[in-house]
Amino acid sequence: MIPLSYYLVLAALVFCIGLFGALVRKNAVLVLLSLELMLNAIVLNLIAFSNFATPVTIKGQIFSLFVMVIAASEIGLGLAIVLFLYRKRATIEMDKFTELKG
Amino acid sequence: MAESIFFTLATIIVLASLMVVFSDNPIHSVLFLFVVLFAMAGLYVLLNAPFLAAVQVLIYAGAITVLILFVVMLTSPYIPSVKLLESKQSDAALLVVVVFFGALSQILRTSSWFDPGLKTAPKVVKTAKIGEILFKEYVLPFELASVVLLAALIGAVYMVSGVKWR
């Protein structure tokens, strides 16, 4: 069988790729996409731990279901904010939103 | 057998998620995200979680990807000039990510999870059991999650509708 550490390393890699995307991309939708990558890495971690650590009570699987619910509402709200910003400012480049700089 | 499936899926996931981040065209990014989510569902099957694999394909790959695709088409026309590596932040971001990954792998190597003797669960978790646990032990979080979803839905509709709140 595949050891747990393989899954953890894969999830860490995907999380780091998503983190890089979230830090670097300018397009707001692509930042949300990178967030989705990170959330998926976390869900993979949870399911791997559920399989190896709590195979009877499957706590990790239940928790990852809740993570999916929160991720769905997060992406819905995030896309609504992106559409709202696009209507107000006609751009979704993150560098252009600098009002909070003071 | 399981090893070869795992390594194929892992290669697909890593390459496709690199393409999500580095692709110039946002539409391609969304389509590569679809590939990542689908391959992740395959890994969930390997991890004895077929119900979550189905949920992943239905909700993530089915609904969320299509939603994001709509928003990409509504907001960002293809702008080839938005080159990723010209971003001022990319060096700092690379540093942050490398340090973060180094710290993560260091924690992993020194932890007890790295032990190859850990065994997987002997058999597949039945979907009925997930429902049983969800509605017996986790009823309150379940109801709270539905309230959160409703609030997010109302918030999204309100924000996009353009109605002034008076």
Side-chain angles (χ1 to χ4, degrees):
Chain A
M1 282 316 282
I2 306 132
L4 172 63
S5 51
Y6 286 18
Y7 290 105
L8 299 186
V9 169
L10 176 65
L13 259 179
V14 175
F15 189 90
C16 286
I17 294 170
L19 182 64
F20 184 72
L23 289 175
V24 160
R25 294 306 302 233
K26 285 182 179 169
N27 188 329
V29 179
L30 289 176
V31 173
L32 283 176
L33 275 192
S34 308
L35 281 183
E36 285 301 306
L37 271 185
M38 290 158 78
L39 278 169
N40 255 280
I42 292 164
V43 170
L44 179 63
N45 254 353
L46 284 173
I47 294 178
F49 276 124
S50 164
N51 194 30
F52 285 92
T54 60
V56 180
T57 52
I58 52 170
K59 289 197 170 106
Q61 290 197 25
I62 304 285
F63 201 89
S64 55
L65 270 179
F66 287 115
V67 172
M68 280 180 184
V69 171
I70 300 301
S73 48
E74 169 254 329
I75 198 78
L77 268 183
L79 290 177
I81 291 173
V82 168
L83 276 181
F84 181 74
L85 284 175
Y86 184 69
R87 190 183 293 160
K88 269 224 154 28
R89 308 277 299 270
T91 180
I92 52 166
E93 279 196 33
M94 301 291 270
D95 299 5
K96 300 278 166 60
F97 305 116
T98 54
E99 280 90 347
L100 281 181
K101 210 189 273 173
Chain B
M1 184 59 191
E3 276 87 355
S4 57
I5 294 174
F6 174 82
F7 283 114
T8 317
L9 287 175
T11 319
I12 290 172
I13 286 173
V14 170
L15 289 182
S17 48
L18 281 174
M19 286 305 293
V20 169
V21 171
F22 286 102
S23 148
D24 276 342
N25 189 339
I27 302 266
H28 290 174
S29 288
V30 182
L31 295 179
F32 277 113
L33 183 76
F34 180 82
V35 174
V36 173
L37 299 174
F38 220 92
M40 282 272 187
L43 282 188
Y44 298 168
V45 173
L46 270 189
L47 282 168
N48 296 328
F51 177 67
L52 282 166
V55 167
Q56 170 97 352
V57 170
L58 283 176
I59 294 180
Y60 265 109
I64 290 183
T65 319
V66 174
L67 188 67
I68 298 174
L69 207 52
F70 270 122
V71 174
V72 167
M73 288 194 232
L74 282 173
T75 56
S76 45
Y78 174 42
I79 312 165
S81 65
V82 184
K83 277 280 180 281
L84 175 71
L85 296 173
E86 288 168 13
S87 165
K88 279 175 288 182
Q89 292 181 10
S90 65
D91 291 340
L94 193 63
L95 183 71
V96 167
V97 167
V98 167
V99 168
F100 187 72
F101 186 70
L104 268 186
S105 47
Q106 187 59 33
I107 292 170
L108 253 180
R109 266 196 306 128
T110 52
S111 73
S112 58
W113 304 322
F114 211 68
D115 178 19
L118 280 171
K119 287 278 175 281
T120 52
K123 57 177 187 267
V124 171
V125 176
K126 286 209 185 86
T127 306
K129 199 180 162 204
I130 293 181
E132 203 175 292
I133 292 177
L134 195 60
F135 287 103
K136 268 185 185 158
E137 287 176 51
Y138 298 91
V139 178
L140 195 61
F142 182 81
E143 298 292 338
L144 275 179
S146 66
V147 173
V148 167
L149 261 182
L150 180 69
L153 192 71
I154 293 173
V157 169
Y158 170 65
M159 231 181 300
V160 179
S161 69
V163 179
K164 285 275 183 292
W165 187 277
R166 282 292 304 161

